[in-house]
Amino acid sequence: MSVDLRANPFYLDDEGIQWVEDTIASMTTEEKIGQLFFNMGSSRSEEYLKMTVDKYHIGGIRYNPATAAEVHEQNRILQENSKIPLIIACNTEKGGNGACVDGTYIAEQTKIGATGNVEYARALGKMSNTEAAAIGCNLSFAPVSDIYYNWHNPIVSLRTYGNDPQRVIEMTQAYLEGAHEVPGFCCAAKHFPGDGLDDRDQHVANSVNTFSCEEWDATFGKIYANLIDNGLEAIMAGHIMLPSYTRAINPDIKDDDIMPATLSKELLTGLLREKMGFNGMILTDASHMVGMTCRMKRKDILPTAIAAGCDMFLFFNDMDEDFGSMMDGYKNGIITEERLSDALHRILGLKAHMGLHKKAKTELVPPAAQIKEVIGCAEHKAMQAEIAREAITLVKYKDEDVLPITPERYKRIMIVYVTGLEAKGLGAMMKAAAGSRKTPAEALKEKLEAKGFDVRIYESPMEKLQKRAAAGEKVDINVYFAGKDTISEFAGAQDLIITLVDVSGGFQTVARPGFGMTKGGGEIPWYVFELPVVVVGCQQPTILADIPQARTYINTYDTQDSTLNALVDALVAGKDAFKGKDPIDSFCGMWDTHL
């Protein structure tokens, strides 16, 4: 056995080691195979939950979003009915809202990167996982340890502490330390070997980390080495290839045989285990992602991932089929007896490290009374507001007389609200389900009016035509394409424009096709020399690539109410009130974004 349960990160005593050995010795083959699976629950009914632990003997669960009360009850049922205590994971990358929908959003990692303050990363780790622990979770799929090198990358975006490896090292460590202040709570850093270089999304395509071995060692490698040294319990392998190290470890490998980390023995066993000395648990990223499924048949993916060095597999597709494929992989020798034993020792070793073996089944999930005390508490919300004030970033300021924005200077303000396709679809449904009625533009309008401004929200010519058509009026579409106001009328109708860009993807690729933006409409700020314009990027921090003409550009990183309060306060106070420092290259490496 190559697992040292006394060493980092398990640190088990004799009692803990004995529990691991006795538990493994008492397990049937079916129970051993079941421990390899993380389930993504499709139901919260008691019947379904009991079935997952009785029939499939799952080792862990990561569930779909729900309220704190619903997740708490789910976790209680699972732990009280499972023969072996479960690892219950959550995505607390940016707050307790990653554990339950009513949890506290603290801040995106990039937003914390903009503050430059590692103590906020520590607070994120502690507060997020204090809320998660209150509802029975014990493992965070965080910190995200990627580096935002390529602004085209669709995954990293706000999920990284920035493009400086040293900042990522310091803040991922601080998050880990904060999470470790929560008794029994552990972390799984992601996405090894590191995202942020490829243009593509491993949910739908291949993804490749193109760094040389030397470049990787100096960047992503240093981040993971530091986390390992500081007691990181688990690492989530990404569906990301790293050809340089794969070839360095296996010089004879053919290109067709180079696999994403989740299926690569070279990267998991050769690099992560043997070269870097990681003794903790390795789990796959979600197994429905194309970066994994495009490499071989699913029946082969399951045992190959374990054989390569993963200890746990996320998630079932069809439970019977996947369980059978994993069992077949064990019976036909793809998963060796030694490899299964190592995986089980790490899975159970982690559970013992969490202290789960010392608790009665009824004690594995805290009392429900803690929910009201912890979830959404005032301390956590105050931290959200504090980070917002410190993070908002004045990225570009060419017209240095625009700020401060006061009613005396700019009484009439027009807000142009630019949303992506998701705002009309899934985003709108989620807001409706949460009972949210105001758009960020509407909320910003109210906050500015409270400061004494007269504010209106822009309505495009197409929106006006649609309303008229809905009222039964016959409309002429040519009015949209050819009917323009004069420049003097347009510029004279307001004193200043705030373009609020609330899209999670690129402005051109997400916003424009779905919303009929035109060369003469107000959606695109073509008029930056006609009157003062402030462009605010609310989510995607690289909007300048699509609106290089913006002369005053601000990144807020989200549209939380506390963030909009901080934005308005800073606009009114002036340039020096913007305290954030750009944690990425918001100019996207382009010369014209500086104009």
Side-chain angles (χ1 to χ4, degrees):
M1 184 184 71
S2 60
V3 186
D4 187 350
L5 294 177
R6 297 186 188 278
N8 178 10
F10 302 110
Y11 300 113
L12 298 188
D13 57 17
D14 290 343
E15 179 189 3
I17 293 172
Q18 193 63 50
W19 177 81
V20 171
E21 299 295 353
D22 290 347
T23 302
I24 293 175
S26 71
M27 294 165 70
T28 65
T29 301
E30 288 75 15
E31 288 170 340
K32 291 178 179 180
I33 295 300
Q35 283 295 297
L36 305 177
F37 284 100
F38 247 91
N39 184 39
M40 170 62 80
S42 60
S43 169
R44 289 191 175 81
S45 72
E46 186 166 351
E47 180 183 15
Y48 170 84
L49 295 173
K50 287 182 177 178
M51 178 273 295
T52 63
V53 295
D54 290 341
K55 182 177 181 181
Y56 297 102
H57 322 290
I58 59 172
I61 181 172
R62 216 283 278 166
Y63 50 88
N64 285 310
T67 65
E70 289 171 321
V71 176
H72 182 275
E73 179 63 6
Q74 163 201 277
N75 293 345
R76 182 195 67 77
I77 293 169
L78 285 166
Q79 294 288 34
E80 290 184 6
N81 288 279
S82 180
K83 176 182 175 182
I84 300 171
L86 292 163
I87 299 171
I88 302 181
C90 52
N91 270 336
T92 44
E93 301 173 9
K94 54 188 175 184
N97 61 327
C100 54
V101 294
D102 43 349
T104 309
Y105 166 87
I106 303 295
E108 301 281 357
Q109 289 190 185
T110 305
K111 188 176 187 179
I112 291 176
T115 70
N117 189 340
V118 296
E119 292 307 313
Y120 290 140
R122 192 184 317 278
L124 175 64
K126 180 179 181 180
M127 293 180 176
S128 301
N129 298 310
T130 295
E131 295 195 4
I135 56 175
C137 301
N138 48 37
L139 179 70
S140 172
F141 287 167
V144 178
S145 305
D146 301 320
I147 311 173
Y148 202 178
Y149 281 123
N150 180 358
W151 71 272
H152 288 287
N153 184 281
I155 294 295
V156 172
S157 189
L158 294 171
R159 301 174 71 194
T160 170
Y161 289 112
N163 61 1
D164 177 8
Q166 186 57 38
R167 185 193 304 116
V168 177
I169 287 171
E170 293 168 359
M171 291 194 167
T172 52
Q173 178 181 333
Y175 180 99
L176 179 67
E177 291 170 350
H180 283 170
E181 292 184 43
V182 182
F185 215 89
C186 297
C187 289
K190 59 189 181 187
H191 306 84
F192 181 88
D195 205 350
L197 287 168
D198 204 325
D199 295 40
R200 296 165 297 181
D201 177 350
Q202 55 265 36
H203 289 84
V204 295
N206 288 334
S207 184
V208 180
N209 184 315
T210 54
F211 271 178
S212 67
C213 295
E214 293 74 21
E215 289 171 323
W216 191 89
D217 287 343
T219 54
F220 296 98
K222 287 183 70 174
I223 294 167
Y224 280 100
N226 182 68
L227 288 170
I228 291 167
D229 287 346
N230 282 278
L232 176 68
E233 293 89 357
I235 288 176
M236 177 181 284
H239 310 310
I240 302 168
M241 302 182 216
L242 181 61
S244 60
Y245 255 114
T246 304
R247 292 190 182 103
I249 292 169
N250 184 1
D252 297 326
I253 195 168
K254 298 176 182 178
D255 285 353
D256 284 350
D257 295 330
I258 292 177
M259 292 290 159
T262 38
L263 298 169
S264 173
K265 188 171 184 178
E266 291 82 6
L267 297 182
L268 298 183
T269 302
L271 175 57
L272 187 52
R273 290 281 187 224
E274 296 174 0
K275 186 175 189 296
M276 300 184 71
F278 181 57
N279 187 46
M281 190 178 81
I282 300 174
L283 56 153
T284 74
D285 203 344
S287 61
H288 61 269
M289 295 163 68
V290 178
M292 185 185 210
T293 62
C294 71
R295 301 301 293 145
M296 62 182 67
K297 292 180 179 180
R298 184 167 182 88
K299 70 179 181 64
D300 298 323
I301 282 173
L302 284 104
T304 298
I306 303 301
C310 291
D311 302 303
M312 298 194 78
F313 188 90
L314 282 64
F315 303 104
F316 288 108
N317 180 48
D318 177 85
M319 297 184 83
D320 280 339
E321 187 177 61
D322 280 356
F323 193 94
S325 295
M326 193 73 84
M327 181 64 78
D328 288 344
Y330 168 66
K331 290 179 177 179
N332 64 27
I334 295 174
I335 302 173
T336 64
E337 200 68 53
E338 180 183 13
R339 178 77 273 275
L340 179 60
S341 175
D342 279 5
L344 291 170
H345 278 84
R346 288 193 171 93
I347 296 165
L348 294 174
L350 180 57
K351 293 179 180 185
H353 172 74
M354 292 172 171
L356 303 183
H357 66 303
K358 296 181 179 180
K359 296 180 179 180
K361 289 178 182 287
T362 55
E363 298 174 335
L364 290 168
V365 175
Q370 286 194 17
I371 293 175
K372 290 184 178 180
E373 298 174 11
V374 176
I375 304 298
C377 68
E379 180 187 5
H380 297 176
K381 290 182 177 179
M383 178 57 67
Q384 176 200 94
E386 181 179 336
I387 293 173
R389 291 192 297 271
E390 296 295 318
I392 292 179
T393 308
L394 181 60
V395 175
K396 182 180 179 182
Y397 193 41
K398 294 288 286 189
D399 295 330
E400 298 215 355
D401 60 343
V402 173
L403 300 174
I405 294 173
T406 64
E408 293 74 26
R409 301 184 71 200
Y410 311 108
K411 182 69 174 177
R412 302 168 302 162
I413 295 177
M414 181 172 75
I415 298 173
V416 178
Y417 185 44
V418 179
T419 60
L421 295 174
E422 73 282 355
K424 297 290 186 180
L426 179 61
M429 289 189 289
M430 291 177 67
K431 287 180 181 178
S436 175
R437 295 187 178 91
K438 294 177 187 175
T439 67
E442 292 166 340
L444 180 60
K445 178 178 183 290
E446 289 185 5
K447 296 177 189 302
L448 288 168
E449 287 173 337
K451 297 285 187 181
F453 295 95
D454 294 335
V455 187
R456 69 184 178 95
I457 297 174
Y458 170 78
E459 189 175 41
S460 74
M462 182 61 79
E463 288 172 320
K464 292 177 183 178
L465 287 177
Q466 288 172 338
K467 286 184 178 180
R468 288 166 57 189
E473 182 180 343
K474 185 177 180 179
V475 298
D476 183 358
I477 193 69
N478 289 317
V479 174
Y480 178 63
F481 295 105
K484 309 295 183 185
D485 294 332
T486 65
I487 300 300
S488 59
E489 287 174 326
F490 181 82
Q494 51 268 321
D495 303 312
L496 178 138
I497 293 178
I498 297 176
T499 302
L500 201 64
V501 187
D502 185 19
V503 297
S504 57
F507 184 80
Q508 292 183 24
T509 57
V510 177
R512 190 174 299 146
F515 294 89
M517 296 184 180
T518 67
K519 290 179 285 187
E523 302 96 329
I524 299 173
W526 52 266
Y527 37 78
V528 293
F529 288 103
E530 302 292 345
L531 73 172
V533 178
V534 176
V535 178
V536 181
C538 299
Q539 292 189 62
Q540 178 60 253
T542 55
I543 295 300
L544 264 179
D546 297 298
I547 317 179
Q549 70 270 30
R551 299 180 65 76
T552 301
Y553 176 72
I554 296 163
N555 271 330
T556 65
Y557 310 103
D558 61 54
T559 57
Q560 295 289 318
D561 195 63
S562 59
T563 300
L564 295 178
N565 285 335
L567 172 64
V568 171
D569 289 345
L571 289 171
V572 171
K575 176 183 177 181
D576 292 340
F578 291 87
K579 299 178 181 179
K581 303 295 182 184
D582 189 10
I584 63 170
D585 175 18
S586 293
F587 292 92
C588 304
M590 300 177 175
W591 70 271
D592 63 308
T593 51
H594 293 270
L595 299 178

